[in-house]
Amino acid sequence: VSIADVDLIAAQSAFEKARSIVLACHVNPDGDALGSMLALLLGLTKRYPDKYIEAVSHDGVPDIYEFLPAAGQIKSRASAETFDLAIALDSGDVKRTGDQVFPVFAKSLSRMDIDHHVGDGAFGDVRLLDSKAAATAEIVFDLLGHLGINIDTDIATCLLTGVITDTGSFRFMNVTPRTLRTAATLIEAGATPSLIAERVFDNRTFPGTKLLGLCLSTLQICSSGHITYASVKHEHFAETDTLDQDTEGFINFVRSIRGSEVAILFREFELGTVRISLRSTERVDVARIANQFNGGGHKMAAGCTYYGALVDAQAAILEAVSAALPPS
Ligand code: 5GP
Ligand code: MN
């Protein structure tokens, strides 16, 4: 357990004091954001049946995560302006809970930050922060253990989904013995990794797969092959009648090219707004690059938004990435 006991005790007392609790995750939620939030929702509801507890995802639940237990209970807007306790999970920065949800944090009586992104965005009266955790789900696992909440099959499924998605199915550098021990316990508790993998990774729609083809047709390589990038243009979404959520996993094709040090995916779902995903090998800190564009993330996986035309986004990001590449 890497969260200090004093912080776990503080978290427990915050739960006990609060009568109303809102949980929130980041915009464009991924498996860890949703899985860790739902596991905490299920656990707290079981432990404190008399409290009012709700979970909010500003951008709802992408189709591939609808199988998560209790996903149907997630709201896209908070039902009140203020709660006794507002908790952000996996968000990096409380502002990333989204325009509609973030104000609730300012108005609520107390705040809690549960995250494995540990940077300038840390906030709250109680902070359960652990940069060594591969997923926020690992922190929630420890928290539920501290609270004496039994991990049932539903909670285990939510947590294992967070661990599997944030570790790239146990392939990324964030995987530790603790990650595998946690995963083993979750499987013992009833989670089925093959089922999660099937729902999350082998569940691309036909139009979504056509979209992948269009995206890969834009693939480019530069800086002696150290930078690889691809774009999903606005017209690609229109042509295939797809959504931004259909680009889940596209960055992995760009990242897995031999010799690539930095992989970039540009997504222009709305004209004038370009979402950028950055992935790197150990040699480049892409969180620093994303920071230059008011984004953030981890050293090897980060993201940001560029407001402007796709070509301008590409020029600006490629310049920043080239500048960050160590001389070879
Ligand atoms: P993705 O490329 O999958 O959207 O994001 C990769 C990582 O960067 C995730 O850890 C995510 O939380 C973080 N991230 C992505 N976009 C943003 C952003 O706009 N702001 C911040 N602070 N973090 C981001
Ligand atoms: Mn995460």
Side-chain angles (χ1 to χ4, degrees), residues 32 90 116-117 136 166:
D32 188 35
D90 199 44
H116 65 138
H117 303 84
T136 299
D166 260 28

Side-chain angles (χ1 to χ4, degrees), residues 20 22 52 54 75 77-83 100-101 103-104 108:
S20 63
V22 62
Y52 179 81
E54 70 178 30
K75 301 177 193 292
R77 298 292 177 263
S79 65
E81 286 184 5
T82 167
F83 290 77
Q100 317 288 329
V101 186
V104 174
S108 291

Side-chain angles (χ1 to χ4, degrees), residues 26-28 30 90-93 96 116-117 166 248 251 267 275-279 290-291 293-298 301-305:
H26 60 77
V27 291
N28 297 316
D30 55 21
D90 199 44
S91 296
D93 186 315
R96 291 195 76 230
H116 65 138
H117 303 84
D166 260 28
E248 179 80 37
I251 184 71
R267 283 139 49 208
R275 281 284 312 154
I276 294 136
S277 288
L278 296 154
R279 299 290 185 272
N291 271 320
F293 296 88
N294 297 315
H298 308 276
C304 57
T305 303

Side-chain angles (χ1 to χ4, degrees), residues 235-276:
E235 66 217 51
H236 296 158
F237 286 110
E239 194 179 322
T240 51
D241 193 19
T242 47
L243 299 172
D244 194 46
Q245 66 178 32
D246 292 302
T247 64
E248 179 80 37
F250 286 14
I251 184 71
N252 294 326
F253 291 89
V254 187
R255 191 183 68 89
S256 59
I257 297 166
R258 185 181 298 173
S260 172
E261 299 268 4
V262 179
I264 316 164
L265 181 72
F266 299 90
R267 283 139 49 208
E268 186 190 36
F269 182 64
E270 270 178 71
L271 279 175
T273 303
V274 184
R275 281 284 312 154
I276 294 136

